[in-house]
Amino acid sequence: MNTRIMVLALLSAMMIAYPLSAAGQEEGAGYLFGSKVISGDGEGRPLSPFPVVPDFAFVDAGVNGVFDLGDPVYLNMNPQDGMVSEGDIRLSTAFSRPGQMVRLGDRDLGYRLIRFGTSGFQPAELRYYDVNGDRSYGLEDPVYLDFNPGQVTPGDLRITGYLSYQPGSLVLDSDVDSGKQTRTLPGTLSFYNANGNVDSLGGAIFDRGDIVFIDTQFPFNAVTVNDVRLSA
């Protein structure tokens, strides 16, 4: 069986195991992937920076040298390894529910990751659609991983939901948000150290149970209203 058939077979099996209707819901989790922090929703909890900034990458499931609708997208926590590894976060619905952390023994472990913005592949930026046109990011504004920065285009990944579209879904040409203008999302990636474990230098350790946030509001390094959860 060639590589293309093996990857597509794995993709089909995992889509059956993790249907879109369960998007973002990790077993036992209190929060959903793509949900925004609202008032009374744990704001004020400390957020820790990553010692190495994660990047956005994908598995070329079709082995065709391009990013297309069947390719799963990840937040690669160790950009130097170039593969799906323990601790990476799945962002799309292709291989499983978005927001899940990759664990030892998972079937996508070890697949080659291609970093967006390298080797001729399109860049990936976190951007938002300014629904009410006030030129300010708000709770009502959907967030995208935008592969054609400046406009929602087919293939862009919805980080938050919009209307009936689920977090983790990819934009299609016929979708109502296709063609909408996008603006740069302020902030950075950080995490809530749920179990409080630290390394020998006192730095927070990211591991299972910790929640990744897009930290969008001042004061940074703390959970605030409008921050977005990237793991569940």
Side-chain angles (χ1 to χ4, degrees):
M1 184 180 293
N2 64 35
T3 301
R4 177 186 175 91
I5 295 174
M6 289 177 65
V7 174
L8 290 176
L10 173 61
L11 175 61
S12 298
M14 296 188 79
M15 287 182 72
I16 293 171
Y18 303 107
L20 181 59
S21 60
Q25 181 66 66
E26 173 70 88
E27 294 178 6
Y31 297 106
L32 298 176
F33 166 83
S35 61
K36 292 189 179 185
V37 177
I38 60 175
S39 180
D41 198 13
E43 66 264 43
R45 289 180 298 175
L47 293 177
S48 300
F50 289 99
V52 177
V53 178
D55 62 22
F56 298 104
F58 70 98
V59 171
D60 184 11
V63 197
N64 58 4
V66 297
F67 173 70
D68 49 34
L69 293 179
D71 294 338
V73 180
Y74 294 79
L75 182 63
N76 186 11
M77 309 309 292
N78 181 10
Q80 304 303 317
D81 64 8
M83 66 178 65
V84 179
S85 55
E86 184 181 13
D88 290 347
I89 304 295
R90 302 178 181 99
L91 299 181
S92 62
T93 59
F95 269 3
S96 80
R97 294 187 292 266
Q100 280 195 327
M101 180 184 289
V102 176
R103 303 174 184 176
L104 290 178
D106 285 353
R107 289 176 287 180
D108 52 346
L109 198 70
Y111 275 94
R112 176 174 176 257
L113 284 174
I114 300 172
R115 182 179 180 181
F116 288 105
T118 62
S119 303
F121 290 98
Q122 62 267 56
E125 294 183 13
L126 289 168
R127 299 178 68 92
Y128 71 96
Y129 164 44
D130 185 9
V131 171
N132 61 14
D134 64 358
R135 304 177 67 86
S136 178
Y137 169 64
L139 280 172
E140 71 281 1
D141 296 331
V143 175
Y144 299 82
L145 190 58
D146 192 348
F147 303 124
N148 183 24
Q151 187 178 52
V152 179
T153 52
D156 286 352
L157 174 69
R158 296 182 182 93
I159 297 297
T160 63
Y162 178 62
L163 300 178
S164 62
Y165 304 118
Q166 296 276 355
S169 61
L170 297 179
V171 176
L172 303 178
D173 186 57
S174 58
D175 291 346
V176 298
D177 49 352
S178 181
K180 301 295 187 184
Q181 297 299 306
T182 61
R183 299 176 61 85
T184 299
L185 184 71
T188 187
L189 297 176
S190 53
F191 69 98
Y192 173 61
N193 187 15
N195 59 15
N197 57 344
V198 297
D199 59 25
S200 59
L201 299 177
I205 297 173
F206 175 73
D207 54 14
R208 184 175 173 181
D210 295 342
I211 302 175
V212 180
F213 285 85
I214 308 173
D215 188 7
T216 65
Q217 307 287 316
F218 181 84
F220 294 105
N221 299 319
V223 177
T224 53
V225 171
N226 269 340
D227 288 351
V228 182
R229 299 177 181 92
L230 286 185
S231 62

